[in-house]
Amino acid sequence: MDFRLTDEQEAFSASVRAFAREHIEPGVVERDRAGEWDADVWKQVAGFGMAGLPVPEAYGGSGADVLTTGLALESLAYGGRDAGLMLSLGAHLTIGCMPIALHGTEEQKQRWLPQMAAGESIGAFAITEPEAGSDTAGMKTRGDREGDTYVLNGTKTFITNGGLADVVTVVARTEADAPAGMAFSAFLVEKGTPGFTVSKELKKLGNRTSPTVELSLQDVEVHESQMLGDPGTALWKIGFECFDWERCVMIASAVGGMERDLEESVRYAKEREAFGKPIAKFGAIQHKVAQMRIRLEIAKLLQRQAAWMKDNGIEHQVEAAMAKAYVGEAGVDSALDAIQLHGGWGYIDEFHVERSLRDAKLASIGGGTTEIQEMIIARSLLG
Ligand SMILES: Cc1cc2nc3c(=O)[nH]c(=O)nc-3n(C[C@H](O)[C@H](O)[C@H](O)COP(=O)(O)OP(=O)(O)OC[C@H]3O[C@@H](n4cnc5c(N)ncnc54)[C@H](O)[C@@H]3O)c2cc1C
């Protein structure tokens, strides 16, 4: 069993890390303070070929496998330290592009994927509602059929890229009498469709360079050709795939952030002196970096295992849940250690690690909370 990356994968990761240090990291503190999405940085990331990584080559993407897509996110996060940008990019790739690539008609793929892969159009996925997050079956948004159109009404919240997106996959109940699992359908709703608006911009603890909004749908008319996948399949097919991509791939950004924080913490521990010697000489500091290293190794292995299993068509629901649950909690623990090791400077935003703590917390909530992952794992054991 060989857990190492191939030479080609190592070289790819190194080039992405170098790109991110040069083009993403500069100005990240200021962007975070301002809570600003930066279209220029996005254009550079897209120009570097990152906006269509897993999209098939036939539709303008790179056709990258799951492992490589994760490696790119890990490397961008390591080099760029901009978790918000990674959230937006990750959402664009995994729950923006992939549902269309996997479930779209030929016409839908031709219409959206080439421009999304080029980064000229941004994607989003809207399932969560103010009163239904983990309990997706509790969604109230309706899609009522009228001839060859559906009329959508409802509210979606916490939507990453929601205000930026040129196309949002919106999930709505279309089958009034069907059991919840078969009652929801997905629609590709275009920006500017009458009645489809941003009703609230949400301010966040972290990931502030990524816009998160509430979306309102008031008598939004979509043609039946805008339905993504078959009627009634939005939860068990499309939603399931989206969560799977989030759990296997998006968490790689958090892993990249953990690695960079460890590296910076080691550097700081060797440079910072107290009581006449580098703080690296103190056992308490050594304990922290050792624990950070162990967490990083486990996080990396769990994420790559889940990605590899997904690539190879091996059932991996429990492995993906373990990876998501672990990364969500370990990322916060390691960010806290990094802050403590930096002392007072750890609490000041110039040193990045305070942002890491604010950013890391999201991985235990978005894309399915830690408690939901634990439920999946426990069910596999207890039935
Ligand atoms: C920054 C950000 C970006 C997001 N981006 C998107 C997006 O692009 N698209 C989208 O559709 N959604 C998005 N989300 C929504 C996210 O997926 C949900 O917030 C998440 O699934 C949790 O749902 P909730 O917030 O309704 O919490 P709730 O489901 O209300 O959960 C509240 C608490 O109860 C716990 N809980 C709930 N049910 C159980 C249970 N059965 N057993 C044990 N504990 C339970 C939860 O773990 C949590 O601790 C985003 C969220 C955030 C914060």
Side-chain angles (χ1 to χ4, degrees):
M1 197 178 289
D2 188 347
F3 290 101
R4 291 168 302 177
L5 295 177
T6 62
D7 289 348
E8 196 186 342
Q9 287 167 330
E10 290 284 9
F12 172 69
S13 172
S15 76
V16 177
R17 285 174 180 221
F19 162 83
R21 276 187 193 261
E22 190 180 344
H23 297 285
I24 301 177
E25 190 175 6
V28 63
V29 171
E30 292 73 21
R31 294 199 297 275
D32 175 71
R33 280 183 194 145
E36 263 174 20
W37 161 257
D38 191 319
D40 289 335
V41 178
W42 172 259
K43 275 185 199 146
Q44 298 200 52
V45 169
F48 190 62
M50 299 285 109
L53 279 164
V55 173
E57 286 175 273
Y59 301 98
S62 307
D65 59 18
V66 180
L67 192 68
T68 306
T69 304
L71 189 58
L73 293 185
E74 181 195 308
S75 309
L76 286 168
Y78 169 91
R81 308 188 92 179
D82 186 343
L85 177 72
M86 301 316 299
L87 171 62
S88 278
L89 175 65
H92 166 79
L93 295 175
T94 63
I95 56 178
C97 297
M98 288 319 290
I100 301 176
L102 292 168
H103 304 286
T105 60
E106 190 53 34
E107 196 187 337
Q108 289 167 343
K109 290 187 213 178
Q110 294 288 357
R111 164 88 176 86
W112 289 112
L113 290 179
Q115 47 185 291
M116 290 172 92
E120 289 156 9
S121 291
I122 294 179
F125 184 79
I127 191 164
T128 307
E129 300 187 355
E131 290 166 35
S134 308
D135 181 16
T136 46
M139 278 182 281
K140 293 197 172 68
T141 297
R142 284 195 344 261
D144 298 321
R145 189 165 188 136
E146 291 183 7
D148 59 2
T149 64
Y150 283 84
V151 181
L152 308 181
N153 276 289
T155 305
K156 296 291 176 181
T157 197
F158 306 140
I159 308 307
T160 302
N161 300 340
L164 295 173
D166 300 275
V167 59
V168 183
T169 300
V170 173
V171 178
R173 179 181 270 270
T174 53
E175 321 298 312
D177 302 324
M182 309 291 283
F184 296 92
S185 303
F187 298 91
L188 297 172
V189 183
E190 292 186 33
K191 188 180 203 159
T193 306
F196 184 47
T197 53
V198 172
S199 36
K200 202 191 275 181
E201 308 231 350
L202 301 167
K203 300 289 174 200
K204 306 191 291 298
L205 175 70
N207 291 269
R208 289 183 176 167
T209 58
S210 170
T212 307
V213 301
E214 178 186 274
L215 294 171
S216 165
L217 299 116
Q218 287 182 348
D219 295 328
V220 175
E221 288 186 23
V222 288
H223 190 260
E224 61 185 359
S225 62
Q226 288 170 258
M227 184 182 280
L228 183 65
D230 295 324
T233 62
L235 270 195
W236 66 270
K237 240 179 166 175
I238 298 173
F240 182 83
E241 263 296 334
C242 282
F243 286 131
D244 193 45
W245 270 90
E246 284 190 294
R247 287 166 198 171
C248 294
V249 177
M250 268 184 80
I251 56 166
S253 310
V255 178
M258 287 169 73
E259 183 166 354
R260 185 64 182 273
D261 279 351
L262 173 59
E263 193 178 293
E264 299 293 339
S265 296
V266 166
R267 190 154 60 93
Y268 189 80
K270 287 179 178 170
E271 284 171 6
R272 176 75 179 182
E273 294 201 354
F275 300 94
K277 51 184 168 184
I279 61 169
K281 297 285 180 201
F282 299 124
I285 297 293
Q286 293 165 5
H287 173 75
K288 286 190 207 330
V289 295
Q291 286 300 325
M292 289 170 78
R293 179 75 176 83
I294 294 168
R295 286 186 212 111
L296 172 64
E297 198 69 15
I298 300 172
K300 217 177 240 191
L301 288 170
L302 284 174
Q303 185 274 321
R304 289 182 183 172
Q305 170 179 255
W308 177 83
M309 291 175 86
K310 184 169 173 60
D311 269 329
N312 286 282
I314 301 167
E315 166 55 40
H316 58 274
Q317 229 208 334
V318 172
E319 285 76 8
M322 288 194 291
K324 173 78 170 56
Y326 186 78
V327 171
E329 303 303 314
V332 171
D333 290 344
S334 284
L336 279 169
D337 275 343
I339 290 177
Q340 192 66 18
L341 182 149
H342 279 77
W345 291 112
Y347 205 68
I348 305 298
D349 70 0
E350 288 160 39
F351 270 70
H352 297 271
V353 288
E354 66 86 36
R355 191 174 73 257
S356 295
L357 178 62
R358 293 189 281 107
D359 292 340
K361 186 60 193 145
L362 180 61
S364 66
I365 299 171
T369 63
T370 298
E371 291 79 7
I372 296 300
Q373 309 314 311
E374 288 171 344
M375 206 169 76
I376 294 168
I377 300 160
R379 261 190 206 152
S380 76
L381 296 166
L382 304 169

